[in-house]
């Protein structure tokens, strides 16, 4: 769910507009609350605002153990194909990924990630031990049912090995 290109120049934004989860997400996470938000900027261009919603009991150091929802509100246009490729590139940062697995995940992401434009919302719903459900502008988009995929995918933003540690800190509301 990242844009293509190098990810540099991130800055956390304290004043991202408040957002709420879609009805579909609230059915899966009725007690969810906003934990943190940040803006991704690349070479001075704003890419998206990210918001992390979590259930009670969420702990940053064990982010893969509880449901969560990651919302990206896009600030510019990208193709779904480019979002899928960039996501795979970022997933590879957290460890080796066999080519057959990478090919399968890329194919699945390409089917669930739509082309986006400014103002579009894409939400990834993570279920521990399960996959990722995606909702685009309030409409279910599809699921990637592989638990390993889901962990690697949320790790793009939340794993200690993320390419954007400042975004991780802001999303997880970790004090400086």
């Amino acid at each position: 769910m990242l844009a293509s290109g190098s990810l540099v120049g991130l800055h956390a934004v304290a004043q991202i507009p408040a957002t709420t989860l879609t009805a579909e997400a609230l059915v899966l996470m009725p007690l969810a609350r906003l934990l943190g938000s940040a803006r991704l900027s690349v070479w001075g261009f704003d890419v998206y605002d990210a918001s992390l919603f979590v259930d009670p009991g969420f702990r940053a150091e064990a982010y893969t153990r509880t449901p969560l929802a990651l919302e990206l509100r896009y600030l510019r246009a990208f193709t779904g194909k480019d979002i899928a490729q960039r996501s795979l590139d970022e997933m590879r940062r957290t460890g080796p990924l066999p080519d057959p697995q990478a090919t399968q995940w890329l194919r699945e992401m390409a089917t669930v990630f739509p082309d986006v434009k400014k103002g579009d919302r894409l939400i990834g719903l993570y279920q521990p031990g399960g996959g990722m459900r995606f909702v685009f502008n309030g409409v279910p988009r599809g699921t990637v049912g592989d638990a390993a995929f889901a962990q690697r995918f949320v790790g793009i933003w939340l794993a200690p090995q993320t390419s954007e540690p400042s975004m991780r800190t802001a999303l997880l509301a970790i004090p400086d």
Side-chain angles (χ1 to χ4, degrees):
M1 295 191 348
L2 297 172
S4 40
S6 175
L7 296 177
V8 281
L10 169 84
H11 61 278
V13 174
Q15 297 299 323
I16 292 175
T19 184
T20 58
L21 287 175
T22 63
E24 159 114 352
L26 285 172
V27 166
L28 297 172
M29 297 180 62
L31 301 176
R33 66 175 176 82
L34 177 64
L35 181 62
S37 298
R39 174 167 287 171
L40 179 70
S41 294
V42 178
W43 297 325
F45 294 99
D46 292 337
V47 178
Y48 58 71
D49 290 334
S51 298
L52 179 64
F53 295 86
V54 298
D55 276 342
F58 176 86
R59 293 187 348 262
E61 67 278 3
Y63 68 88
T64 60
R65 292 188 186 153
T66 56
L68 61 85
L70 180 74
E71 176 193 78
L72 301 183
R73 185 179 300 267
Y74 284 89
L75 302 171
R76 54 189 329 103
F78 297 100
T79 68
K81 181 180 175 184
D82 285 345
I83 294 169
Q85 183 60 59
R86 185 62 191 183
S87 296
L88 183 64
D89 294 345
E90 289 297 318
M91 290 164 73
R92 282 186 158 143
R93 291 178 58 83
T94 62
L97 184 59
D99 286 339
Q101 186 70 68
T103 300
Q104 178 185 339
W105 288 355
L106 183 61
R107 186 173 40 251
E108 291 181 67
M109 286 188 288
T111 64
V112 296
F113 294 165
D115 295 345
V116 299
K117 63 185 181 323
K118 184 176 181 174
D120 283 341
R121 289 172 58 183
L122 187 58
I123 299 174
L125 297 157
Y126 170 79
Q127 293 295 315
M132 291 288 301
R133 293 175 84 174
F134 294 95
V135 178
F136 179 61
N137 291 333
V139 177
R141 198 51 208 182
T143 300
V144 178
D146 185 332
F149 166 85
Q151 285 190 355
R152 284 275 187 111
F153 187 78
V154 297
I156 292 170
W157 295 270
L158 305 180
Q161 307 89 338
T162 182
S163 65
E164 296 295 339
S166 296
M167 177 170 267
R168 177 182 188 267
T169 298
L171 289 173
L172 293 172
I174 299 171
D176 291 335

